[in-house]
């Protein structure tokens, strides 16, 4: 019988990687983001914001984040630099 992934059987860092999170030391995290030109890039800005919120909702399903959660666009592979 396949029980699927058991959250307690997986290290938190591996679970975040499995969900698409980028970990400390990955090159993309050192790349500065550029500012958006709003209102010219409003649609792109809204799309990236929607992606961030959706990814945070997914990640919050597997962690309690007792001290809060912060997710930067480069950590989930989205943004104007990707």
């Amino acid at each position: 019988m396949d029980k699927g992934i058991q959250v307690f059987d997986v290290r938190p860092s591996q679970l975040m990687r499995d969900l698409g999170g980028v970990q400390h030391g990955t090159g993309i995290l050192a790349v500065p983001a550029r500012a958006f030109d709003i209102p010219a890039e409003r649609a792109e800005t809204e799309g990236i914001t929607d992606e961030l919120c959706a990814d945070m909702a997914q990640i919050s399903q597997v962690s309690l984040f007792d001290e809060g959660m912060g997710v930067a666009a480069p950590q989930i592979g989205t943004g104007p630099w990707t």
Side-chain angles (χ1 to χ4, degrees), residues 34-68:
R34 68 168 176 79
F36 282 102
D37 178 10
I38 298 176
E41 295 178 296
R42 180 180 177 154
E44 184 178 7
T45 303
E46 289 175 347
I48 288 171
T49 301
D50 290 345
E51 285 181 55
L52 281 167
C53 290
D55 288 335
M56 287 175 63
Q58 180 180 11
I59 290 169
S60 71
Q61 298 299 309
V62 298
S63 180
L64 298 177
F65 293 101
D66 293 337
E67 297 180 13

